[in-house]
Amino acid sequence: MAYRFEAGRIYRMPTHFGPAFGPRQMPDGIAADPRSGPRRHSVAARFLTEAARLDAHLPEGFALRGEPVVTVEFHYLTGIDWLAGRGYTMVQVSWPASFSGREDKASGRFLAVIWENLADPIITGRDEIGHPKLYADIPPSRAWDGTHICSAGWMGFRFLDLEVSGLREVPLAAPAPPDDILMLKYVPRTGAWGEGELCQVTLTPGDDPHRTVEHRQAGTGQVRFHLAAWADLPTMHHVVNALAGLPVLEPRGGSVVRSRGGKSYRDQRILR
Amino acid sequence: MAYRFEAGRIYRMPTHFGPAFGPRQMPDGIAADPRSGPRRHSVAARFLTEAARLDAHLPEGFALRGEPVVTVEFHYLTGIDWLAGRGYTMVQVSWPASFSGREDKASGRFLAVIWENLADPIITGRDEIGHPKLYADIPPSRAWDGTHICSAGWMGFRFLDLEVSGLREVPLAAPAPPDDILMLKYVPRTGAWGEGELCQVTLTPGDDPHRTVEHRQAGTGQVRFHLAAWADLPTMHHVVNALAGLPVLEPRGGSVVRSRGGKSYRDQRILR
Amino acid sequence: MAYRFEAGRIYRMPTHFGPAFGPRQMPDGIAADPRSGPRRHSVAARFLTEAARLDAHLPEGFALRGEPVVTVEFHYLTGIDWLAGRGYTMVQVSWPASFSGREDKASGRFLAVIWENLADPIITGRDEIGHPKLYADIPPSRAWDGTHICSAGWMGFRFLDLEVSGLREVPLAAPAPPDDILMLKYVPRTGAWGEGELCQVTLTPGDDPHRTVEHRQAGTGQVRFHLAAWADLPTMHHVVNALAGLPVLEPRGGSVVRSRGGKSYRDQRILR
Amino acid sequence: MAYRFEAGRIYRMPTHFGPAFGPRQMPDGIAADPRSGPRRHSVAARFLTEAARLDAHLPEGFALRGEPVVTVEFHYLTGIDWLAGRGYTMVQVSWPASFSGREDKASGRFLAVIWENLADPIITGRDEIGHPKLYADIPPSRAWDGTHICSAGWMGFRFLDLEVSGLREVPLAAPAPPDDILMLKYVPRTGAWGEGELCQVTLTPGDDPHRTVEHRQAGTGQVRFHLAAWADLPTMHHVVNALAGLPVLEPRGGSVVRSRGGKSYRDQRILR
């Protein structure tokens, strides 16, 4: 007797063993507190680039919004409830954009690519949220001589270095209310190579009622993507090289933030 | 000016930087020979279990076919063309089943779950093929005192041990023509938690014209899945525990095979 | 013209490229502050065992001192100056003992074994200090549901689990002044297999003027070493099995301590 | 009652749990066959450099012998008996030299540095043999488009690339009988910082009766060491930079060799 999907439960491949636990579906009786975890150490840097370059990496329906400033963020997460207290690291690349669909209009941060050093959130994020997540080896950040140093690589090829230095304390409150985050969920069609099965704009509301910033510093930031040959990064040299090709017209500062708590993205939604 | 998808090219998230290279889309000018690579060292074991238990892990439209024999295979791959000569390891769990859809009928091996120790083929396989792939740490196999020893774990929890011993040479030709392989491609719907966005049966034709078996041995096999608490394997304890719960009514032998070459699964297709 | 050793500089194999940097020899111009780094997250548990068992693992000249209580400590270090801000993890097993040599007498903690997850401090510690260091894979600790969870393994075999729970705040000051630490530096003789080239008792003075405890909690501790076959841990199953064989007559509590700063062990000395 | 060292048995730190198993001391009843394992895939390249540079990295009593040709070899080992069938990788840098001691004279290959990607052979090799071993992350080699590609790094900094291409089959017999191998075993003195406790020349006889070459190819080789800042490789930038500073006056070819079997180095001896 074949199984049937239980109504109202989230499944992921393989679906054959029951609903799949993850950030948005915890086992019964596990009392997670979204205000206390995860703990997040964030190091970010921004730079001004050419508008036309960013435009060329926006999907249909999107347009640049305001200055063409790219933000690269490393988030070192620990104490994640859905991983029973374990952690992982996330790198996000984004810039400001607006979306105008058949029904919906939105503006915020366009999330161009995410790298993570754990496959589990890559799978849940791609499937459930539309997060454009790829894998990278990301060592712990280190602070040395007043500089916070972050990097990411793949199989021995380091493709991203980010440093923030000259830090000073700044108010805990963010400089601006958090933007909504926009991304494109895409799944190719099996067998009909070159066609898409699924192509949706999805949105994360910027507000996160569970997150508390505990410490915030601002300083000087520096980002460097390293050009890769196909053989260096055979599944993603095109991603890294596009980012390495963005001219840094002007650095726009960096930050180091320590925070705790965070939502599950159950408020993620599809725009039409 | 936003980008447009190029016709006939395979994309994966993030789509914003151009078509994505991978097993089914290589850069121009890269001359791969599917008859020489990858090289594959395969260690497998089989056991008879209870039909009803396997039935309960078959999707709608599927039925067990013949004896309820579970096959667990470790494939240690090297010299993979689309990874510029790198390798990774794959673990597959399958049993015989048939599928009867609205339009299509098929029978073969039902591929219940795959574990791999590299995120890149997990992403390409899930998205493009419908492979039910999860991540595991899989050390190199080792041969010691006549026994081939394989294992898989996640963050320090070893969930699978497989051993094959008592090996004898057997003819290079497979005991039977290879079965077609059946699987379920599934993507959950963002925001409508509990609904599916995509749920398709997909099929890999069993025939692989590029694969050459170089060495084949048969022997005694032993498989053991280890029961996990949620905190041990928070995203997949349900998968491992279901497999650990399958009674081993009778071992059905093991094998060690060395082969080379293999197709790209461009012949993967959707059944209806 | 062959090189000569520079006077007053620490060398390690290979000596041919100049003095070797490390915890006790930093490059000129690198201003490290031993009061600010490393940062140390320590999780420890203690248990009462049989005196005769510990006696059997003490070298000549040593005797048990007081109760036969074994301490197992995980120290998760970050911000280490001699690693330019990187970190690693250390596991220590010790019990109280006294030493009576031809010239020197001392009492303190006998450091029976150390595991670390980075080869560099293993090499510097064995060679320069006489630290009995071996390698282990040690994932980050995790805190879940009020319990701090630590483990160590090697090539997929988890040999040590330690948990501390039921935590309550306790005064920052240590319950007692820190003991001196005793260990045995030993190097086998090349070619004369079975003879020793070097066999010295060395001592670390307990006092560390640079270390500041920032947070201290006490609770219930639990330690479990797992019996290993030779094939599981072929270079150290004898170590793990000896520890696994110590009966836990009574748990003696656990602790979680956060501290910063620490000395370089330049005060390490040989006892005679 | 404290333990005593058993006569005729090899010990390593920690000595407190009994003799230590390893390459030169296997458990009773483990029947290893030094003619069948380990299996070894070796990729090597050679280059001519300036004699004076190599001289400056030779210890007292040593002199260059013949042409100043540096050999860099990657040995990918599997099926190692003393690791119960597991494997690891070794990188060796050597050049021809002779030694003239108070009593002994010898000539052969001077082994300047070894990197390995497993701590266990680093510990046994340094302590028992005098091997100048350090740790490196060394991914599997890969062959792509007729080129064998090897690399080594540490914590994300890749410090060595080696490639061999243009391969042709050559006779299985080595071009010359294997040289004896010379190295310097050194242990610093604890507490008396800057003094040595042990400084011995040790020698491995070149002959290995157990080793069988199965396949030998010769071609063009290329070696590149990458200059490192102290913060990139804080315990060994001086080693890597010295090697990076050797001018490549002329490449002297490369090789790819597959072999099996090997001795335990129980024939290692001290020269005086």
Side-chain angles (χ1 to χ4, degrees):
Chain A
M1 188 61 200
Y3 70 87
R4 289 173 178 266
F5 287 85
E6 294 177 38
R9 306 297 300 278
I10 300 173
Y11 284 78
R12 294 188 303 268
M13 285 184 268
T15 56
H16 326 307
F17 306 98
F21 298 113
R24 286 158 288 285
Q25 186 165 268
M26 295 278 281
D28 292 340
I30 300 291
D33 177 0
R35 290 162 307 179
S36 66
R39 303 194 65 80
R40 188 184 290 244
H41 169 66
S42 303
V43 183
R46 278 160 284 277
F47 63 90
L48 181 73
T49 190
E50 291 172 6
R53 300 287 190 112
L54 296 188
D55 251 343
H57 301 303
L58 284 174
E60 276 194 85
F62 282 82
L64 264 180
R65 181 177 63 85
E67 278 197 314
V69 171
V70 175
T71 300
V72 181
E73 300 163 87
F74 282 71
H75 297 286
Y76 300 87
L77 305 169
T78 53
I80 298 172
D81 54 10
W82 65 273
L83 290 172
R86 295 175 185 84
Y88 67 91
T89 301
M90 182 191 297
V91 181
Q92 297 187 333
V93 178
S94 62
W95 55 80
S98 59
F99 169 69
S100 178
R102 293 190 317 276
E103 303 177 11
D104 297 309
K105 289 197 189 315
S107 70
R109 264 198 308 142
F110 173 70
L111 190 48
V113 59
I114 304 175
W115 282 279
E116 295 184 335
N117 62 355
L118 187 67
D120 302 74
I122 293 174
I123 292 171
T124 62
R126 290 178 71 94
D127 279 17
E128 298 173 17
I129 299 297
H131 275 148
K133 291 182 172 183
L134 300 173
Y135 181 87
D137 294 315
I138 311 173
S141 73
R142 62 190 171 95
W144 183 247
D145 205 18
T147 301
H148 287 250
I149 300 163
C150 306
S151 68
W154 184 90
M155 292 248 185
F157 184 86
R158 197 161 74 192
F159 64 80
L160 170 58
D161 288 303
L162 183 150
E163 294 188 5
V164 178
S165 57
L167 290 165
R168 60 183 193 282
E169 307 294 309
V170 292
L172 290 188
D179 285 327
D180 291 347
I181 304 173
L182 294 158
M183 64 210 78
L184 190 75
K185 185 178 184 182
Y186 179 88
V187 178
R189 177 163 293 166
T190 299
W193 306 114
E195 297 180 22
E197 187 70 73
L198 189 66
C199 189
Q200 300 167 335
V201 176
T202 71
L203 177 145
T204 313
D207 185 46
D208 190 335
H210 303 307
R211 190 155 171 211
T212 303
V213 172
E214 297 176 336
H215 192 214
R216 188 184 297 273
Q217 293 173 296
T220 304
Q222 190 181 353
V223 176
R224 185 153 175 228
F225 284 93
H226 301 285
L227 279 171
W230 167 75
D232 293 323
L233 300 175
T235 62
M236 56 184 190
H237 76 300
H238 62 303
V239 178
V240 167
N241 288 354
L243 296 170
L246 297 175
V248 177
L249 299 183
E250 191 180 292
R252 286 295 175 92
S255 62
V256 176
V257 177
R258 203 174 61 230
S259 61
R260 67 163 190 274
K263 64 183 178 183
S264 71
Y265 298 112
R266 270 210 161 237
D267 55 357
Q268 187 81 359
R269 65 175 194 264
I270 301 170
L271 302 185
R272 288 165 211 288
Chain B
M1 188 59 200
Y3 70 87
R4 291 175 176 265
F5 287 86
E6 294 179 36
R9 306 296 303 277
I10 301 173
Y11 283 79
R12 294 187 304 268
M13 285 184 266
T15 56
H16 325 306
F17 306 98
F21 298 114
R24 284 156 291 283
Q25 187 165 266
M26 296 278 282
D28 291 340
I30 300 290
D33 176 1
R35 290 163 308 179
S36 66
R39 303 194 65 81
R40 187 184 291 242
H41 169 64
S42 303
V43 184
R46 278 161 282 278
F47 63 91
L48 180 73
T49 191
E50 291 173 7
R53 301 287 190 112
L54 296 188
D55 250 343
H57 301 303
L58 283 174
E60 275 193 87
F62 283 81
L64 264 180
R65 180 177 64 85
E67 278 198 313
V69 171
V70 176
T71 300
V72 181
E73 300 163 87
F74 282 71
H75 297 286
Y76 301 87
L77 305 169
T78 53
I80 297 172
D81 53 11
W82 64 274
L83 290 171
R86 296 174 184 85
Y88 67 91
T89 301
M90 181 192 297
V91 181
Q92 297 189 333
V93 179
S94 63
W95 54 80
S98 59
F99 169 69
S100 178
R102 292 188 318 276
E103 301 177 11
D104 297 309
K105 289 196 189 316
S107 70
R109 265 198 307 143
F110 174 70
L111 190 48
V113 59
I114 303 175
W115 281 279
E116 295 184 334
N117 62 355
L118 187 67
D120 302 73
I122 293 175
I123 291 171
T124 61
R126 291 177 70 94
D127 279 17
E128 298 174 16
I129 298 297
H131 275 149
K133 291 182 173 184
L134 300 174
Y135 181 87
D137 294 315
I138 310 173
S141 73
R142 62 189 171 96
W144 182 248
D145 205 18
T147 301
H148 287 250
I149 300 164
C150 307
S151 67
W154 185 89
M155 292 248 185
F157 184 85
R158 197 162 74 192
F159 64 79
L160 171 58
D161 288 303
L162 184 150
E163 293 188 4
V164 177
S165 57
L167 290 165
R168 62 184 191 281
E169 306 296 308
V170 293
L172 289 188
D179 286 326
D180 290 348
I181 303 173
L182 295 157
M183 64 210 78
L184 191 76
K185 186 179 184 183
Y186 180 89
V187 178
R189 177 163 294 165
T190 299
W193 305 115
E195 296 179 22
E197 186 70 73
L198 189 66
C199 189
Q200 298 167 337
V201 176
T202 71
L203 178 144
T204 313
D207 186 47
D208 189 335
H210 302 308
R211 190 156 171 209
T212 302
V213 172
E214 296 176 335
H215 192 214
R216 186 185 298 272
Q217 295 172 297
T220 305
Q222 190 181 351
V223 177
R224 187 156 173 224
F225 284 94
H226 301 285
L227 280 171
W230 167 75
D232 293 323
L233 300 175
T235 63
M236 57 184 189
H237 76 300
H238 63 303
V239 178
V240 168
N241 289 353
L243 296 170
L246 297 175
V248 176
L249 299 183
E250 193 179 292
R252 286 296 175 91
S255 62
V256 175
V257 176
R258 202 176 61 230
S259 61
R260 68 163 189 273
K263 63 184 178 182
S264 71
Y265 299 112
R266 270 210 161 236
D267 55 356
Q268 187 81 359
R269 65 174 194 265
I270 301 170
L271 301 186
R272 289 165 212 287
Chain C
M1 188 59 200
Y3 69 87
R4 291 176 176 262
F5 287 85
E6 294 177 36
R9 306 297 300 278
I10 300 173
Y11 283 79
R12 294 187 304 269
M13 285 184 267
T15 56
H16 325 307
F17 305 98
F21 297 113
R24 283 157 291 284
Q25 187 165 268
M26 296 278 281
D28 292 340
I30 300 290
D33 176 1
R35 290 162 307 178
S36 67
R39 302 195 65 81
R40 187 183 291 243
H41 169 65
S42 304
V43 183
R46 277 162 283 277
F47 63 91
L48 181 73
T49 190
E50 290 173 6
R53 301 287 190 111
L54 296 188
D55 250 343
H57 301 304
L58 284 174
E60 275 195 86
F62 282 81
L64 265 180
R65 181 176 63 86
E67 278 197 314
V69 171
V70 175
T71 300
V72 180
E73 300 163 87
F74 282 71
H75 297 286
Y76 301 87
L77 305 169
T78 52
I80 298 172
D81 53 11
W82 63 273
L83 290 171
R86 296 174 184 85
Y88 68 90
T89 301
M90 182 191 296
V91 181
Q92 297 188 334
V93 179
S94 61
W95 55 80
S98 59
F99 169 69
S100 178
R102 290 190 318 275
E103 302 177 11
D104 296 309
K105 290 197 187 316
S107 70
R109 264 198 308 143
F110 174 70
L111 190 48
V113 60
I114 304 174
W115 281 280
E116 296 184 333
N117 62 355
L118 187 67
D120 302 73
I122 293 175
I123 291 171
T124 61
R126 290 177 71 94
D127 279 16
E128 298 174 16
I129 298 297
H131 275 148
K133 292 182 173 183
L134 300 173
Y135 181 87
D137 293 315
I138 310 173
S141 73
R142 61 189 172 95
W144 183 248
D145 204 19
T147 301
H148 286 251
I149 300 163
C150 307
S151 68
W154 185 89
M155 292 248 185
F157 183 86
R158 197 162 74 192
F159 64 78
L160 171 58
D161 288 304
L162 184 150
E163 294 188 5
V164 178
S165 57
L167 290 165
R168 60 183 193 282
E169 306 296 308
V170 292
L172 289 188
D179 285 327
D180 290 348
I181 304 174
L182 295 158
M183 65 210 77
L184 190 76
K185 185 178 184 182
Y186 180 90
V187 178
R189 178 162 294 165
T190 299
W193 306 114
E195 296 180 22
E197 187 70 74
L198 190 66
C199 189
Q200 298 168 335
V201 176
T202 71
L203 178 145
T204 314
D207 186 46
D208 190 334
H210 303 307
R211 190 155 171 211
T212 304
V213 172
E214 296 176 335
H215 192 215
R216 187 185 297 273
Q217 293 173 297
T220 303
Q222 191 180 352
V223 176
R224 186 155 173 225
F225 284 94
H226 301 285
L227 279 171
W230 167 75
D232 293 323
L233 301 175
T235 62
M236 57 184 189
H237 76 300
H238 63 303
V239 178
V240 167
N241 288 355
L243 297 170
L246 297 175
V248 177
L249 300 183
E250 193 180 291
R252 287 295 175 89
S255 62
V256 176
V257 176
R258 203 176 60 231
S259 61
R260 68 164 189 274
K263 63 183 179 183
S264 71
Y265 297 112
R266 270 210 162 235
D267 55 358
Q268 186 81 1
R269 65 175 195 265
I270 301 171
L271 301 187
R272 288 166 212 285
Chain D
M1 188 59 200
Y3 70 87
R4 290 175 177 264
F5 287 85
E6 293 178 37
R9 307 296 302 278
I10 300 173
Y11 283 79
R12 294 187 305 268
M13 285 185 268
T15 56
H16 326 306
F17 306 98
F21 298 113
R24 284 157 291 283
Q25 186 166 266
M26 296 278 281
D28 292 339
I30 300 290
D33 176 0
R35 290 162 307 178
S36 66
R39 302 194 66 80
R40 187 184 291 243
H41 169 65
S42 303
V43 183
R46 278 160 284 277
F47 62 91
L48 180 74
T49 190
E50 291 172 7
R53 301 287 188 112
L54 295 188
D55 250 343
H57 301 304
L58 283 174
E60 276 194 85
F62 282 81
L64 265 180
R65 182 176 62 85
E67 278 198 313
V69 171
V70 176
T71 301
V72 181
E73 300 162 87
F74 282 71
H75 298 286
Y76 302 86
L77 305 169
T78 53
I80 297 172
D81 53 10
W82 64 273
L83 291 171
R86 296 174 183 85
Y88 68 91
T89 301
M90 182 192 295
V91 181
Q92 297 188 333
V93 179
S94 62
W95 54 81
S98 59
F99 170 69
S100 178
R102 291 190 317 277
E103 302 177 11
D104 296 310
K105 290 196 188 318
S107 70
R109 265 197 308 142
F110 174 69
L111 191 48
V113 60
I114 304 174
W115 282 279
E116 295 185 334
N117 62 356
L118 187 67
D120 302 74
I122 293 174
I123 292 171
T124 62
R126 290 176 71 93
D127 279 18
E128 298 174 17
I129 298 297
H131 275 148
K133 290 181 172 184
L134 301 173
Y135 181 87
D137 294 315
I138 310 173
S141 73
R142 61 189 171 96
W144 183 246
D145 205 18
T147 301
H148 287 251
I149 300 163
C150 307
S151 68
W154 185 89
M155 292 248 186
F157 184 86
R158 197 162 73 193
F159 64 78
L160 171 58
D161 288 303
L162 183 150
E163 294 189 4
V164 178
S165 57
L167 290 165
R168 60 184 193 281
E169 306 296 308
V170 293
L172 289 188
D179 286 327
D180 291 348
I181 304 173
L182 294 157
M183 64 210 78
L184 190 75
K185 185 178 184 183
Y186 180 89
V187 178
R189 177 162 293 167
T190 299
W193 306 113
E195 297 181 22
E197 186 70 73
L198 189 66
C199 189
Q200 299 168 336
V201 176
T202 71
L203 177 145
T204 313
D207 186 46
D208 190 335
H210 303 308
R211 191 157 171 210
T212 304
V213 171
E214 297 175 335
H215 193 213
R216 187 185 298 272
Q217 294 172 298
T220 304
Q222 191 181 353
V223 176
R224 187 157 172 224
F225 285 93
H226 301 286
L227 280 171
W230 167 75
D232 293 323
L233 300 176
T235 63
M236 57 184 190
H237 76 300
H238 63 302
V239 178
V240 167
N241 288 355
L243 297 169
L246 298 175
V248 176
L249 300 183
E250 192 179 291
R252 286 295 175 91
S255 62
V256 176
V257 176
R258 202 175 62 230
S259 61
R260 66 163 190 275
K263 63 183 179 182
S264 70
Y265 298 112
R266 269 210 161 235
D267 55 357
Q268 187 81 359
R269 64 173 195 265
I270 302 170
L271 301 185
R272 288 167 212 286

